[in-house]
Amino acid sequence: MANLCLSVLVSGRVQGVWFRRFTQQKAEAYGVKGWVRNLTDGRVEALLIGEEKNVRQVEAWMSQGPELSNVVECLSKVVEEQSCTSFELLEDASEAAF
């Protein structure tokens, strides 16, 4: 099965609603590696790495988000594969990595 590395940016009401924690749980459930973090502009950024079908499942979930969120936009793009051994919650960042 082919691996996919996807950068995801989610905007809307996505901070303060457990979005990162639920993203981590979904990623771990699907065996997806990478990270998720808040951006200071109010968006959430994630890097998803794993089997394409599993990465796409997490991406689809992120486009909906948890119950308390209100996702307005979910943008994703394929990026060069990074090396990650788990799925981590990172510190906030002032700008997107990709």
Side-chain angles (χ1 to χ4, degrees):
M1 194 54 67
N3 267 7
L4 178 65
C5 185
L6 204 61
S7 170
V8 183
L9 284 172
V10 185
S11 59
R13 185 170 187 250
V14 293
Q15 292 189 12
V17 293
W18 296 89
F19 197 98
R20 292 179 304 148
R21 178 64 66 196
F22 282 115
T23 299
Q24 181 184 41
Q25 289 175 356
K26 289 292 182 185
E28 289 173 345
Y30 283 102
V32 171
K33 311 292 187 219
W35 48 261
V36 63
R37 66 182 173 188
N38 286 334
L39 297 176
T40 56
D41 65 6
R43 296 178 297 169
V44 167
E45 178 185 30
L47 183 70
L48 309 175
I49 306 163
E51 290 186 17
E52 183 173 3
K53 66 178 180 157
N54 295 339
V55 167
R56 293 296 185 189
Q57 287 286 345
V58 177
E59 175 192 25
W61 178 86
M62 290 180 75
S63 71
Q64 301 298 309
E67 185 177 331
L68 295 175
S69 71
N70 180 22
V71 175
V72 172
E73 184 174 49
C74 183
L75 302 173
S76 60
K77 68 177 178 179
V78 175
V79 295
E80 186 175 319
E81 189 163 338
Q82 310 288 311
S83 177
C84 293
T85 58
S86 62
F87 196 90
E88 300 179 46
L89 297 177
L90 298 185
E91 296 293 320
D92 294 0
S94 59
E95 60 183 47
F98 299 99

Coordinates of all heavy atoms in Angstrom, one line a residue:
M1 N 0.9 -1.2 0.0 CA 0.0 0.0 0.0 C 0.9 1.2 0.0 O 1.9 1.3 0.7 CB -0.9 -0.1 1.3 CG -2.0 0.9 1.4 SD -3.3 1.0 0.1 CE -4.2 -0.5 0.1
A2 N 0.5 2.2 -0.8 CA 1.4 3.4 -0.9 C 1.2 4.4 0.3 O 0.0 4.5 0.8 CB 1.0 4.1 -2.2
N3 N 2.3 5.0 0.7 CA 2.2 6.0 1.7 C 1.9 7.4 1.2 O 2.2 7.6 0.0 CB 3.5 6.1 2.5 CG 3.5 5.1 3.7 OD1 2.6 4.4 3.9 ND2 4.6 5.2 4.5
L4 N 1.3 8.2 2.0 CA 0.9 9.5 1.6 C 1.3 10.5 2.7 O 1.1 10.1 3.9 CB -0.6 9.6 1.4 CG -1.2 11.0 1.0 CD1 -0.7 11.5 -0.3 CD2 -2.7 10.9 1.0
C5 N 1.8 11.6 2.4 CA 2.2 12.7 3.4 C 1.4 13.9 3.0 O 1.5 14.4 1.9 CB 3.7 12.9 3.4 SG 4.2 14.1 4.7
L6 N 0.5 14.3 3.9 CA -0.5 15.4 3.6 C -0.4 16.5 4.6 O -0.4 16.2 5.8 CB -1.9 14.8 3.7 CG -3.0 15.4 2.9 CD1 -2.7 15.4 1.4 CD2 -4.3 14.7 3.1
S7 N -0.3 17.7 4.2 CA -0.3 18.9 5.0 C -1.8 19.4 5.0 O -2.4 19.5 3.9 CB 0.6 20.0 4.5 OG 0.3 21.2 5.1
V8 N -2.4 19.6 6.2 CA -3.8 20.0 6.3 C -3.9 21.3 7.1 O -3.3 21.4 8.2 CB -4.6 18.9 7.0 CG1 -6.1 19.3 7.0 CG2 -4.4 17.6 6.3
L9 N -4.6 22.3 6.6 CA -4.9 23.5 7.3 C -6.5 23.6 7.5 O -7.2 23.6 6.5 CB -4.4 24.7 6.5 CG -2.9 25.0 6.6 CD1 -2.6 26.1 5.6 CD2 -2.5 25.3 8.0
V10 N -6.9 23.8 8.7 CA -8.3 23.8 9.0 C -8.7 25.2 9.6 O -8.0 25.6 10.6 CB -8.7 22.7 9.9 CG1 -10.2 22.6 10.1 CG2 -8.2 21.3 9.4
S11 N -9.7 25.8 9.1 CA -10.1 27.1 9.7 C -11.6 27.0 10.1 O -12.3 26.2 9.7 CB -9.9 28.2 8.7 OG -10.6 28.0 7.5
G12 N -11.9 28.0 10.9 CA -13.3 28.0 11.5 C -13.1 28.1 13.0 O -12.1 28.6 13.6
R13 N -14.1 27.5 13.7 CA -14.1 27.4 15.2 C -13.4 26.1 15.5 O -14.0 25.1 15.6 CB -15.4 27.5 15.8 CG -15.4 27.5 17.3 CD -16.7 27.8 17.9 NE -16.6 27.9 19.3 CZ -17.0 27.0 20.2 NH1 -17.7 26.0 19.8 NH2 -16.9 27.2 21.5
V14 N -12.0 26.1 15.5 CA -11.3 24.9 15.6 C -10.3 24.9 16.8 O -9.5 23.9 17.0 CB -10.6 24.5 14.3 CG1 -11.6 24.1 13.2 CG2 -9.7 25.6 13.8
Q15 N -10.2 26.0 17.5 CA -9.4 26.0 18.7 C -10.3 26.2 19.9 O -11.3 26.8 19.9 CB -8.4 27.2 18.6 CG -7.4 27.0 17.5 CD -6.3 28.0 17.5 OE1 -6.1 28.8 18.5 NE2 -5.5 28.1 16.5
G16 N -9.8 25.5 21.0 CA -10.6 25.5 22.2 C -11.8 24.6 22.2 O -12.7 24.7 23.1
V17 N -11.8 23.7 21.3 CA -12.9 22.7 21.2 C -12.4 21.3 21.1 O -13.1 20.4 20.6 CB -13.8 23.0 20.0 CG1 -14.5 24.3 20.1 CG2 -13.0 23.0 18.7
W18 N -11.2 21.1 21.6 CA -10.6 19.7 21.6 C -10.3 19.2 20.2 O -10.1 18.0 20.0 CB -11.4 18.7 22.4 CG -11.5 19.1 23.9 CD1 -12.4 19.9 24.4 CD2 -10.6 18.8 24.9 NE1 -12.2 20.1 25.7 CE2 -11.1 19.4 26.1 CE3 -9.4 18.0 24.9 CZ2 -10.4 19.2 27.3 CZ3 -8.8 17.8 26.2 CH2 -9.3 18.4 27.3
F19 N -10.1 20.1 19.2 CA -9.9 19.6 17.9 C -8.6 18.9 17.7 O -8.5 17.8 17.1 CB -9.9 20.8 16.9 CG -10.0 20.5 15.5 CD1 -11.2 20.6 14.9 CD2 -8.9 20.1 14.7 CE1 -11.4 20.3 13.5 CE2 -9.1 19.7 13.4 CZ -10.3 19.8 12.8
R20 N -7.5 19.4 18.3 CA -6.2 18.7 18.2 C -6.2 17.3 18.9 O -5.7 16.4 18.4 CB -5.1 19.6 18.8 CG -4.8 20.8 18.0 CD -3.7 21.7 18.7 NE -4.1 22.0 20.0 CZ -3.2 22.2 21.0 NH1 -1.9 22.1 20.8 NH2 -3.6 22.5 22.2
R21 N -6.8 17.3 20.1 CA -6.8 16.0 20.8 C -7.6 14.9 20.0 O -7.2 13.8 19.9 CB -7.4 16.2 22.2 CG -7.5 14.9 23.0 CD -6.2 14.3 23.4 NE -5.4 15.1 24.2 CZ -4.2 15.0 24.5 NH1 -3.5 14.1 23.9 NH2 -3.5 15.8 25.3
F22 N -8.8 15.3 19.5 CA -9.6 14.4 18.7 C -8.9 14.0 17.4 O -8.9 12.8 17.0 CB -11.0 14.9 18.4 CG -11.9 14.8 19.6 CD1 -12.4 16.0 20.2 CD2 -12.3 13.6 20.1 CE1 -13.3 15.9 21.3 CE2 -13.2 13.5 21.2 CZ -13.7 14.7 21.7
T23 N -8.1 14.9 16.8 CA -7.4 14.6 15.6 C -6.3 13.6 16.0 O -6.1 12.6 15.2 CB -6.7 15.9 15.0 OG1 -7.7 16.8 14.7 CG2 -5.9 15.5 13.8
Q24 N -5.6 13.8 17.1 CA -4.6 12.8 17.5 C -5.3 11.4 17.7 O -4.7 10.4 17.3 CB -4.0 13.3 18.8 CG -2.9 12.3 19.3 CD -2.3 12.7 20.6 OE1 -3.0 13.2 21.5 NE2 -1.0 12.6 20.7
Q25 N -6.4 11.3 18.4 CA -7.1 10.1 18.6 C -7.4 9.4 17.3 O -7.3 8.2 17.2 CB -8.3 10.3 19.5 CG -8.0 10.6 20.9 CD -9.2 10.9 21.7 OE1 -10.3 11.0 21.2 NE2 -9.0 11.2 23.0
K26 N -8.0 10.2 16.4 CA -8.4 9.6 15.1 C -7.1 9.1 14.3 O -7.1 8.0 13.8 CB -9.1 10.6 14.2 CG -10.5 10.9 14.6 CD -11.4 9.8 14.5 CE -12.8 10.2 14.9 NZ -13.7 9.0 14.9
A27 N -6.1 9.9 14.3 CA -4.8 9.5 13.6 C -4.3 8.2 14.2 O -3.9 7.3 13.5 CB -3.8 10.6 13.7
E28 N -4.2 8.1 15.5 CA -3.7 6.9 16.2 C -4.6 5.7 15.9 O -4.1 4.6 15.7 CB -3.6 7.1 17.7 CG -2.4 8.1 18.0 CD -2.3 8.5 19.5 OE1 -3.3 8.3 20.2 OE2 -1.3 9.1 19.8
A29 N -5.9 5.9 15.9 CA -6.8 4.8 15.5 C -6.6 4.3 14.1 O -6.8 3.1 13.9 CB -8.3 5.3 15.7
Y30 N -6.2 5.1 13.2 CA -6.0 4.7 11.8 C -4.5 4.4 11.5 O -4.1 4.1 10.4 CB -6.4 5.8 10.8 CG -7.9 5.8 10.7 CD1 -8.7 6.7 11.3 CD2 -8.6 4.8 9.9 CE1 -10.1 6.7 11.1 CE2 -9.9 4.8 9.7 CZ -10.7 5.7 10.3 OH -12.1 5.7 10.2
G31 N -3.6 4.5 12.6 CA -2.2 4.2 12.4 C -1.5 5.2 11.6 O -0.4 5.0 11.0
V32 N -2.0 6.5 11.7 CA -1.4 7.6 11.0 C -0.4 8.3 11.9 O -0.7 8.6 13.0 CB -2.5 8.6 10.5 CG1 -1.9 9.9 9.9 CG2 -3.3 7.9 9.4
K33 N 0.8 8.6 11.4 CA 1.8 9.3 12.1 C 1.8 10.8 11.7 O 1.1 11.2 10.7 CB 3.2 8.8 11.8 CG 3.3 7.3 11.9 CD 3.2 6.8 13.3 CE 3.5 5.3 13.3 NZ 2.7 4.6 14.2
G34 N 2.5 11.7 12.5 CA 2.6 13.1 12.1 C 2.4 14.0 13.4 O 2.8 13.6 14.5
W35 N 1.7 15.1 13.2 CA 1.5 16.0 14.2 C 0.4 17.0 13.9 O -0.1 17.0 12.8 CB 2.8 16.8 14.5 CG 3.5 17.4 13.3 CD1 4.6 16.9 12.7 CD2 3.1 18.7 12.6 NE1 4.9 17.8 11.6 CE2 4.0 18.8 11.6 CE3 2.1 19.6 12.8 CZ2 4.0 19.9 10.7 CZ3 2.1 20.7 11.9 CH2 3.0 20.8 10.9
V36 N -0.1 17.7 15.0 CA -1.1 18.7 14.8 C -0.8 19.8 15.8 O -0.2 19.6 16.9 CB -2.5 18.1 15.1 CG1 -2.7 17.6 16.5 CG2 -3.6 19.1 14.8
R37 N -1.1 21.0 15.4 CA -0.9 22.2 16.3 C -1.8 23.3 15.9 O -2.3 23.4 14.8 CB 0.6 22.7 16.1 CG 0.9 23.2 14.8 CD 2.4 23.6 14.7 NE 2.8 24.0 13.4 CZ 4.0 24.2 13.0 NH1 5.0 24.1 13.9 NH2 4.3 24.6 11.8
N38 N -2.0 24.2 16.9 CA -2.7 25.5 16.7 C -1.8 26.5 16.0 O -0.6 26.6 16.3 CB -3.2 26.1 18.0 CG -4.4 25.3 18.6 OD1 -5.1 24.6 17.9 ND2 -4.5 25.4 19.9
L39 N -2.4 27.3 15.2 CA -1.7 28.5 14.6 C -2.2 29.7 15.3 O -3.4 29.8 15.7 CB -1.8 28.6 13.1 CG -1.3 27.4 12.3 CD1 -1.6 27.6 10.8 CD2 0.3 27.3 12.5
T40 N -1.4 30.8 15.5 CA -1.8 32.0 16.2 C -2.9 32.7 15.4 O -3.6 33.5 16.0 CB -0.6 32.9 16.4 OG1 0.0 33.2 15.2 CG2 0.4 32.3 17.4
D41 N -3.1 32.4 14.1 CA -4.2 33.1 13.4 C -5.6 32.4 13.6 O -6.5 32.7 12.9 CB -3.9 33.2 11.9 CG -3.7 31.8 11.2 OD1 -4.0 30.8 11.8 OD2 -3.3 31.8 10.0
G42 N -5.6 31.3 14.4 CA -6.9 30.7 14.7 C -7.1 29.3 14.0 O -8.0 28.6 14.3
R43 N -6.2 29.1 13.0 CA -6.3 27.8 12.3 C -5.6 26.7 13.0 O -4.9 26.9 14.0 CB -5.8 27.9 10.9 CG -6.5 28.9 10.0 CD -5.8 29.0 8.6 NE -4.5 29.6 8.8 CZ -3.6 29.6 7.8 NH1 -3.9 29.1 6.6 NH2 -2.4 30.1 8.0
V44 N -5.9 25.4 12.6 CA -5.2 24.3 13.0 C -4.4 23.7 11.8 O -5.0 23.6 10.7 CB -6.2 23.2 13.6 CG1 -5.5 21.9 13.8 CG2 -6.7 23.7 15.0
E45 N -3.2 23.3 12.1 CA -2.4 22.7 11.0 C -2.0 21.3 11.4 O -1.7 21.0 12.6 CB -1.1 23.5 10.8 CG -0.1 22.9 9.8 CD 1.2 23.7 9.7 OE1 1.6 24.3 10.7 OE2 1.7 23.7 8.6
A46 N -2.0 20.4 10.5 CA -1.6 19.0 10.8 C -0.7 18.5 9.6 O -0.8 18.9 8.5 CB -2.8 18.1 10.9
L47 N 0.1 17.5 10.0 CA 0.8 16.7 9.0 C 0.4 15.3 9.2 O 0.6 14.8 10.3 CB 2.4 16.9 9.2 CG 3.2 16.2 8.2 CD1 3.1 16.8 6.8 CD2 4.7 16.2 8.6
L48 N -0.1 14.6 8.2 CA -0.6 13.3 8.3 C 0.3 12.4 7.4 O 0.4 12.7 6.2 CB -2.0 13.2 7.8 CG -3.0 14.2 8.5 CD1 -4.4 14.0 7.8 CD2 -3.1 14.0 10.0
I49 N 0.8 11.3 7.9 CA 1.7 10.4 7.2 C 1.2 9.0 7.4 O 1.1 8.5 8.6 CB 3.1 10.5 7.7 CG1 3.6 12.0 7.6 CG2 4.1 9.6 6.9 CD1 4.8 12.2 8.4
G50 N 1.0 8.2 6.4 CA 0.6 6.8 6.5 C 0.1 6.3 5.2 O 0.2 6.9 4.1
E51 N -0.6 5.1 5.3 CA -1.2 4.5 4.1 C -2.3 5.5 3.6 O -3.0 6.1 4.4 CB -1.9 3.2 4.5 CG -0.9 2.1 4.8 CD -1.5 0.8 5.0 OE1 -2.7 0.6 4.6 OE2 -0.9 -0.1 5.5
E52 N -2.3 5.7 2.3 CA -3.2 6.7 1.7 C -4.6 6.6 2.2 O -5.2 7.6 2.6 CB -3.2 6.6 0.2 CG -4.0 7.7 -0.5 CD -3.9 7.7 -2.0 OE1 -3.1 6.9 -2.5 OE2 -4.5 8.6 -2.6
K53 N -5.2 5.4 2.2 CA -6.6 5.3 2.6 C -6.8 5.7 4.1 O -7.8 6.4 4.4 CB -7.1 3.9 2.4 CG -6.5 2.8 3.3 CD -7.1 1.4 3.2 CE -6.4 0.5 4.1 NZ -7.1 -0.7 4.4
N54 N -5.8 5.5 5.0 CA -6.0 5.9 6.4 C -5.8 7.4 6.5 O -6.5 8.0 7.3 CB -5.0 5.1 7.2 CG -5.3 3.6 7.3 OD1 -6.4 3.2 7.0 ND2 -4.3 2.8 7.6
V55 N -4.8 7.9 5.8 CA -4.6 9.4 5.8 C -5.9 10.1 5.3 O -6.3 11.1 5.9 CB -3.4 9.8 5.0 CG1 -3.3 11.3 4.7 CG2 -2.1 9.3 5.7
R56 N -6.5 9.6 4.3 CA -7.7 10.2 3.7 C -8.8 10.1 4.7 O -9.7 11.0 4.8 CB -8.1 9.6 2.4 CG -7.1 9.8 1.3 CD -7.0 11.3 0.9 NE -6.1 11.5 -0.2 CZ -5.7 12.7 -0.7 NH1 -6.1 13.8 0.0 NH2 -4.9 12.8 -1.7
Q57 N -8.9 9.1 5.5 CA -9.9 8.9 6.5 C -9.8 10.0 7.6 O -10.8 10.7 8.0 CB -9.9 7.6 7.2 CG -10.4 6.4 6.3 CD -11.9 6.4 6.2 OE1 -12.6 7.1 6.9 NE2 -12.4 5.7 5.2
V58 N -8.6 10.3 8.0 CA -8.3 11.3 9.0 C -8.6 12.7 8.4 O -9.2 13.5 9.1 CB -6.9 11.2 9.6 CG1 -6.6 12.3 10.6 CG2 -6.7 9.9 10.3
E59 N -8.2 12.9 7.2 CA -8.4 14.2 6.5 C -10.0 14.4 6.4 O -10.4 15.5 6.7 CB -7.9 14.1 5.1 CG -8.2 15.3 4.3 CD -7.8 15.1 2.8 OE1 -7.8 14.0 2.3 OE2 -7.6 16.1 2.1
A60 N -10.7 13.4 6.1 CA -12.2 13.5 6.0 C -12.8 13.9 7.4 O -13.7 14.7 7.4 CB -12.8 12.2 5.5
W61 N -12.3 13.2 8.4 CA -12.8 13.6 9.8 C -12.4 15.0 10.1 O -13.3 15.7 10.6 CB -12.2 12.6 10.8 CG -12.6 13.0 12.2 CD1 -13.8 12.6 12.7 CD2 -12.1 14.0 13.0 NE1 -14.0 13.2 14.0 CE2 -12.9 14.1 14.2 CE3 -10.9 14.7 13.0 CZ2 -12.6 14.9 15.2 CZ3 -10.6 15.6 14.1 CH2 -11.5 15.6 15.2
M62 N -11.2 15.5 9.8 CA -10.8 16.8 10.1 C -11.7 17.9 9.3 O -11.9 19.0 9.9 CB -9.3 17.1 9.7 CG -8.4 16.3 10.6 SD -6.6 16.6 10.2 CE -6.4 18.3 10.8
S63 N -12.2 17.5 8.2 CA -13.1 18.4 7.5 C -14.4 18.6 8.2 O -15.1 19.6 7.9 CB -13.3 18.0 6.0 OG -14.1 16.8 6.0
Q64 N -14.7 17.7 9.1 CA -16.0 17.8 9.9 C -15.7 18.3 11.3 O -16.4 19.1 11.9 CB -16.7 16.5 10.0 CG -17.1 15.9 8.6 CD -18.0 16.8 7.9 OE1 -19.0 17.2 8.4 NE2 -17.7 17.2 6.6
G65 N -14.6 17.7 11.9 CA -14.2 18.1 13.3 C -15.1 17.5 14.3 O -16.1 16.9 14.1
P66 N -14.7 17.8 15.6 CA -15.5 17.3 16.7 C -16.8 18.1 16.9 O -17.0 19.1 16.2 CB -14.6 17.5 17.9 CG -13.7 18.6 17.5 CD -13.5 18.5 16.1
E67 N -17.7 17.6 17.7 CA -19.0 18.2 17.9 C -19.0 19.7 18.1 O -19.9 20.4 17.6 CB -19.7 17.5 19.0 CG -21.2 17.9 19.2 CD -21.9 17.1 20.3 OE1 -21.5 16.0 20.5 OE2 -22.8 17.7 20.9
L68 N -18.1 20.2 19.0 CA -18.1 21.6 19.3 C -17.5 22.5 18.3 O -17.6 23.7 18.4 CB -17.4 21.8 20.7 CG -18.1 21.2 21.9 CD1 -17.3 21.3 23.1 CD2 -19.5 21.7 22.1
S69 N -16.9 22.0 17.3 CA -16.2 22.8 16.3 C -17.1 23.2 15.2 O -18.2 22.7 15.1 CB -15.0 22.0 15.7 OG -15.5 20.9 14.9
N70 N -16.7 24.1 14.4 CA -17.4 24.6 13.2 C -16.3 24.8 12.1 O -15.8 25.9 12.0 CB -18.2 25.9 13.4 CG -18.9 26.3 12.2 OD1 -19.2 25.5 11.3 ND2 -19.3 27.6 12.2
V71 N -16.1 23.8 11.3 CA -15.1 23.8 10.3 C -15.6 24.6 9.1 O -16.7 24.3 8.6 CB -14.6 22.4 9.8 CG1 -13.7 22.5 8.7 CG2 -14.0 21.7 11.0
V72 N -14.9 25.7 8.7 CA -15.3 26.5 7.6 C -14.6 26.1 6.3 O -15.1 26.0 5.3 CB -15.0 28.0 7.9 CG1 -15.3 28.9 6.7 CG2 -15.9 28.5 9.1
E73 N -13.3 25.7 6.5 CA -12.5 25.3 5.3 C -11.4 24.3 5.8 O -10.8 24.5 6.9 CB -11.8 26.6 4.7 CG -11.1 26.3 3.5 CD -10.6 27.6 2.8 OE1 -10.0 28.4 3.6 OE2 -10.8 27.7 1.6
C74 N -11.2 23.3 5.0 CA -10.2 22.3 5.2 C -9.4 22.2 3.9 O -9.9 21.6 2.9 CB -10.8 21.0 5.6 SG -9.6 19.7 6.1
L75 N -8.2 22.7 3.9 CA -7.3 22.7 2.7 C -6.2 21.6 3.0 O -5.6 21.6 4.1 CB -6.7 24.0 2.5 CG -7.6 25.2 2.3 CD1 -6.8 26.5 2.2 CD2 -8.4 25.0 1.0
S76 N -5.9 20.9 2.0 CA -4.8 19.9 2.1 C -4.0 19.8 0.8 O -4.5 20.1 -0.3 CB -5.4 18.5 2.5 OG -6.2 18.1 1.4
K77 N -2.7 19.4 1.0 CA -1.9 19.2 -0.2 C -0.8 18.2 0.2 O -0.4 18.0 1.3 CB -1.2 20.5 -0.6 CG -0.2 21.1 0.3 CD 0.5 22.3 -0.2 CE 1.5 22.9 0.7 NZ 2.1 24.1 0.2
V78 N -0.5 17.4 -0.9 CA 0.6 16.4 -0.7 C 1.9 17.1 -0.6 O 2.2 18.0 -1.4 CB 0.5 15.5 -1.9 CG1 1.7 14.4 -1.8 CG2 -0.8 14.8 -2.0
V79 N 2.7 16.7 0.4 CA 4.0 17.3 0.6 C 5.0 16.1 0.7 O 4.7 14.9 0.8 CB 4.1 18.1 1.9 CG1 3.2 19.3 1.7 CG2 3.7 17.3 3.1
E80 N 6.3 16.5 0.6 CA 7.4 15.5 0.7 C 7.3 14.8 2.1 O 7.1 15.4 3.1 CB 8.7 16.2 0.6 CG 9.9 15.2 0.6 CD 11.2 16.0 0.3 OE1 11.3 16.9 -0.5 OE2 12.2 15.6 1.0
E81 N 7.4 13.5 2.0 CA 7.3 12.7 3.2 C 8.3 13.0 4.3 O 9.5 13.2 4.0 CB 7.4 11.2 2.9 CG 7.0 10.3 4.1 CD 6.7 8.9 3.8 OE1 6.3 8.6 2.6 OE2 6.7 8.1 4.7
Q82 N 7.8 13.2 5.5 CA 8.6 13.5 6.7 C 8.8 12.2 7.5 O 8.1 11.3 7.3 CB 8.0 14.6 7.5 CG 7.5 15.8 6.8 CD 8.6 16.7 6.3 OE1 9.5 17.0 7.1 NE2 8.6 17.0 5.1
S83 N 9.7 12.3 8.4 CA 9.9 11.1 9.3 C 9.3 11.4 10.7 O 9.7 12.3 11.4 CB 11.4 10.9 9.5 OG 11.7 9.8 10.4
C84 N 8.3 10.6 11.0 CA 7.6 10.6 12.3 C 7.4 9.2 12.8 O 7.1 8.3 12.0 CB 6.3 11.3 12.2 SG 6.4 13.1 11.8
T85 N 7.6 9.0 14.1 CA 7.4 7.7 14.7 C 6.1 7.6 15.5 O 5.7 6.5 15.9 CB 8.6 7.4 15.6 OG1 8.6 8.4 16.7 CG2 9.9 7.3 14.9
S86 N 5.4 8.7 15.6 CA 4.1 8.7 16.4 C 3.3 9.9 15.9 O 3.7 10.5 14.9 CB 4.4 8.8 17.9 OG 5.0 10.0 18.2
F87 N 2.2 10.1 16.5 CA 1.4 11.3 16.2 C 1.4 12.2 17.5 O 1.0 11.8 18.5 CB -0.1 11.0 15.9 CG -0.8 12.1 15.2 CD1 -0.7 12.2 13.8 CD2 -1.4 13.1 15.9 CE1 -1.4 13.3 13.2 CE2 -2.0 14.2 15.3 CZ -2.0 14.3 13.9
E88 N 1.9 13.4 17.3 CA 2.2 14.3 18.4 C 1.3 15.6 18.4 O 1.0 16.1 17.3 CB 3.6 14.8 18.4 CG 4.6 13.6 18.5 CD 6.0 14.1 18.5 OE1 6.4 15.1 19.2 OE2 6.8 13.5 17.7
L89 N 1.1 16.2 19.5 CA 0.5 17.5 19.7 C 1.7 18.4 19.8 O 2.4 18.3 20.8 CB -0.4 17.6 20.9 CG -1.6 16.7 21.0 CD1 -2.4 16.8 22.3 CD2 -2.6 17.0 19.8
L90 N 1.8 19.4 18.9 CA 3.0 20.3 19.0 C 2.5 21.6 19.6 O 1.4 22.0 19.7 CB 3.5 20.6 17.6 CG 4.1 19.4 16.8 CD1 4.7 19.9 15.5 CD2 5.1 18.6 17.6
E91 N 3.6 22.4 20.0 CA 3.3 23.7 20.5 C 2.7 24.6 19.4 O 2.9 24.4 18.2 CB 4.7 24.3 21.0 CG 5.3 23.6 22.2 CD 4.5 23.7 23.4 OE1 4.0 24.8 23.7 OE2 4.4 22.7 24.2
D92 N 2.1 25.7 19.8 CA 1.5 26.6 18.9 C 2.6 27.2 18.0 O 3.7 27.3 18.4 CB 0.7 27.7 19.6 CG -0.5 27.2 20.3 OD1 -0.8 26.0 20.3 OD2 -1.1 28.1 21.0
A93 N 2.2 27.6 16.8 CA 3.2 28.2 15.8 C 2.5 29.5 15.3 O 1.3 29.6 15.2 CB 3.5 27.3 14.7
S94 N 3.4 30.4 14.9 CA 2.9 31.7 14.4 C 2.5 31.6 12.9 O 1.7 32.4 12.4 CB 3.9 32.8 14.5 OG 5.1 32.5 13.9
E95 N 3.1 30.6 12.2 CA 2.7 30.4 10.8 C 2.8 29.0 10.4 O 3.4 28.2 11.0 CB 3.6 31.3 9.9 CG 5.1 30.9 9.9 CD 5.9 31.9 9.1 OE1 5.7 33.1 9.1 OE2 6.8 31.3 8.3
A96 N 2.1 28.6 9.3 CA 2.0 27.3 8.8 C 3.4 26.8 8.3 O 4.2 27.6 7.7 CB 1.0 27.1 7.7
A97 N 3.7 25.6 8.4 CA 5.0 25.0 8.0 C 5.0 24.8 6.5 O 6.1 24.8 5.9 CB 5.3 23.7 8.7
F98 N 3.9 24.6 5.9 CA 3.9 24.2 4.4 C 3.1 25.2 3.6 O 2.1 25.7 4.0 CB 3.3 22.8 4.2 CG 4.1 21.8 4.9 CD1 3.7 21.3 6.1 CD2 5.3 21.3 4.3 CE1 4.5 20.3 6.8 CE2 6.0 20.3 4.9 CZ 5.7 19.8 6.2

